[in-house]
């Protein structure tokens, strides 16, 4: 399902070093599975795939079929961070490049609440004006400001357009089972509500209703996605050097210890841009603390070879790259012959575009190794719901292991609070008067 290639690290580490770090990652795996280390009250994601039953998925399918009966053609999903990026990543990866669903009757799924841009929300209203609208509002805490603002606006819009009673059947909430303003509001309004379990943090929640419900509503196969995650749970379930999550966690920590402090996740398919965004949150929020942590960045090639390529080849030597490659592309498009050959490209005649892309990838990997940038390869079989489910779980598992190898709690995010307090003070939230005064003086 997933293969890790460490050959691009061989110029930077010998067998003995790789084996030593594999041993540390096995210890990290045991720490994770032992469930006693800091953060172990947030391990609900770890054996989640195998606990997902058809009945759980039926609950989401029921919403999809109710909304289909209403001919809903626009679903606005409201959330931020872990309550946004997983669904966005999956929908972007599985959609046609030029239409969310070129030949499907599934509604268009768009996102809100992950930005405070006034333009964005106002233009979303323009779209809503022309569509038959429903909304999914997602917030584990139920108190996050960005989605709360967006939801207030979208809720009022839907109520005005369809009436309060009908609005209640067009809004679904995904939130905590008991706490938070969103839970209170959802109960008062009678919304269908799905629960995010206490022991699953936002960035580990893509395989809960947080991710699966929007992915299903966009018309994609969540049964296959869950199967892929379940198979990956098994593949990543042993304390051994064959476990791909252990292999990845070992290599990245080994490189970090050598001063390679920045990891660039590289893809060769623009559909994967948001998988990289999801991965950046997962690793950045899990590891960046206590003055430590690999800085997660990303590029999409070959596009970014023409912008970031120079730096990666010759800039500060603190980088390593993790390259995601997809073994099988189902489309088939080749370079045509041209009698005149004025562009000099006839040497490519008959070659598939994918072969050109693959050669670009191999050429880049070798050039970057020569330039002092170690390479980790991650290959998946195909870009589909099954393999994506596996990839999500694989990255989560490797992240939990990796955080423990690094010596941090991979499941908290104390640093995220700092900006929130300042923002509340600047916006005049009651209780923040003293901080507001201090900030004004600054
Ligand atoms: O990973 C996390 O915990 C965060 O990114 C949260 O998902 C994000 O802050 C949104 O929080 P909430 O779902 O409580 O609105």
């Amino acid at each position: 399902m997933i293969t890790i290639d460490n050959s691009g690290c061989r110029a930077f580490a010998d067998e003995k070093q790789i084996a030593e770090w594999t041993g540390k990652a096995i210890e990290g795996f045991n720490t994770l599975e032992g469930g006693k280390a800091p953060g172990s009250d947030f391990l609900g994601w770890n054996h989640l795939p195998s606990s997902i039953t058809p009945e759980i998925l039926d609950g989401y399918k029921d919403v999809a079929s109710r909304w289909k009966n209403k001919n809903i053609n626009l679903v606005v999903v409201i959330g931020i961070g872990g309550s946004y990026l997983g669904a966005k990543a999956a929908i972007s990866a599985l959609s046609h490049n030029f239409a969310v669903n070129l030949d499907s009757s599934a509604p268009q799924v768009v996102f809100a609440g992950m930005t405070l841009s006034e333009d964005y929300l106002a233009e979303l209203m323009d779209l809503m004006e022309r569509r038959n609208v429903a909304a999914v509002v997602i917030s584990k805490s139920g108190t996050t400001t960005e989605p709360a603002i967006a939801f207030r606006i979208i809720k009022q819009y839907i109520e005005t357009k369809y009436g309060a009673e009908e609005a209640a059947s067009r809004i679904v909430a995904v939130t905590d089972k008991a706490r938070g303003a969103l839970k209170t509001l959802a109960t008062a309004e009678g919304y269908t509500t799905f629960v995010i379990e206490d022991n699953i943090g936002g960035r580990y929640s893509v395989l809960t209703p947080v991710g699966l419900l929007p992915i299903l509503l966009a018309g994609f196969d969540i049964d296959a996605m869950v199967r892929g995650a379940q198979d990956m749970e098994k593949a990543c379930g042993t304390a051994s050097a064959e476990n791909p999550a252990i292999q990845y966690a070992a290599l990245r920590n080994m490189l970090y210890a050598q001063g390679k402090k920045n990891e660039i996740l590289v893809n060769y398919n623009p559909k994967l841009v948001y998988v990289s965004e999801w991965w950046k949150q997962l690793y950045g929020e899990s590891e960046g603390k206590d003055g430590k942590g690999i800085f997660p960045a990303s590029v999409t090639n070959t596009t970014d070879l023409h912008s970031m390529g120079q730096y990666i080849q010759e800039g500060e030597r603190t980088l390593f790259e993790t390259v995601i490659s997809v073994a099988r592309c189902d489309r088939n498009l080749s370079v045509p012959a041209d009698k005149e050959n004025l562009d000099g490209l006839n040497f490519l005649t008959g070659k598939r575009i994918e072969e050109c892309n693959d050669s670009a990838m191999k050429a880049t990997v070798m050039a970057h190794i020569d330039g002092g940038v170690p390479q980790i390869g991650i290959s998946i079989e195909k870009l589909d719901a099954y393999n994506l489910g596996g990839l999500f779980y694989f990255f989560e598992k490797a992240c939990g292991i990796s955080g423990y190898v690094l010596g941090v709690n991979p499941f908290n995010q104390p640093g995220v609070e700092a900006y929130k307090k300042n923002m509340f003070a600047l916006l005049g939230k009651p209780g923040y008067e003293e901080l507001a005064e201090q900030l004004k003086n600054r």
Side-chain angles (χ1 to χ4, degrees), residues 100-362:
V100 175
N101 294 288
L102 200 59
D103 298 315
S104 150
S105 58
Q108 182 182 4
V109 172
V110 296
F111 293 86
M114 72 311 179
T115 171
L116 286 172
S117 157
E118 190 163 329
D119 272 350
Y120 187 95
L121 263 177
E123 289 173 17
L124 176 59
M125 310 288 284
D126 295 341
L127 181 66
M128 285 164 48
E129 201 52 55
R130 292 160 175 78
R131 298 291 172 89
N132 188 10
V133 185
V136 180
V137 55
I138 307 174
S139 176
K140 182 177 176 188
S141 62
T143 57
T144 308
T145 310
E146 293 91 330
I149 291 173
F151 183 53
R152 180 181 277 207
I153 290 171
I154 290 161
K155 174 179 183 287
Q156 287 188 5
Y157 174 89
I158 294 178
E159 284 172 352
T160 307
K161 188 165 175 179
Y162 303 102
E165 198 181 323
E166 173 63 14
S169 70
R170 287 171 177 251
I171 296 173
V172 166
V174 182
T175 190
D176 187 85
K177 62 175 172 302
R179 280 169 304 193
L182 179 57
K183 173 64 191 165
T184 311
L185 196 154
T187 307
E189 300 285 4
Y191 299 154
T192 298
T193 302
F194 297 102
V195 169
I196 313 172
E197 295 301 336
D198 280 349
N199 59 359
I200 302 180
R203 60 191 175 275
Y204 291 84
S205 69
V206 59
L207 297 166
T208 72
V210 171
L212 294 178
L213 177 61
I215 295 167
L216 171 76
L217 291 170
F220 299 110
D221 185 352
I222 58 169
D223 296 282
M225 183 166 279
V226 169
R227 265 199 317 280
Q230 289 169 338
D231 288 348
M232 190 59 75
E233 184 185 333
K234 284 189 207 121
C236 294
T238 55
S240 79
E242 280 68 54
N243 179 333
I246 286 178
Q247 292 170 358
Y248 176 50
L251 293 172
R252 60 197 300 284
N253 278 285
M254 177 185 78
L255 296 169
Y256 180 65
Q258 290 180 9
K260 304 292 187 191
K261 293 185 182 292
N262 304 286
E263 178 176 10
I264 305 176
L265 190 71
V266 184
N267 70 69
Y268 282 77
N269 185 337
K271 291 186 183 201
L272 291 173
V273 167
Y274 276 95
V275 169
S276 297
E277 294 304 316
W278 171 83
W279 170 89
K280 285 197 280 203
Q281 189 215 356
L282 178 62
Y283 281 79
E285 235 173 60
S286 297
E287 294 190 326
K289 53 196 71 157
D290 308 335
K292 306 194 245 193
I294 299 169
F295 181 78
S298 64
V299 292
T300 295
N301 289 346
T302 63
T303 314
D304 289 334
L305 288 172
H306 298 260
S307 65
M308 296 300 290
Q310 170 60 36
Y311 188 101
I312 297 170
Q313 189 69 45
E314 295 184 344
E316 206 174 331
R317 301 299 69 191
T318 54
L319 313 174
F320 69 96
E321 291 185 308
T322 296
V323 183
I324 302 188
S325 61
V326 182
R328 216 172 79 228
C329 163
D330 281 347
R331 306 303 291 263
N332 198 332
L333 192 64
S334 304
V335 179
D338 186 306
K339 235 181 10 210
E340 308 294 335
N341 195 27
L342 291 178
D343 55 11
L345 283 185
N346 271 357
F347 74 100
L348 293 176
T349 299
K351 277 205 200 306
R352 283 188 57 189
I353 305 302
E354 208 41 39
E355 193 180 339
C356 301
N357 204 19
D358 194 50
S359 296
M361 183 181 78
K362 288 179 178 143

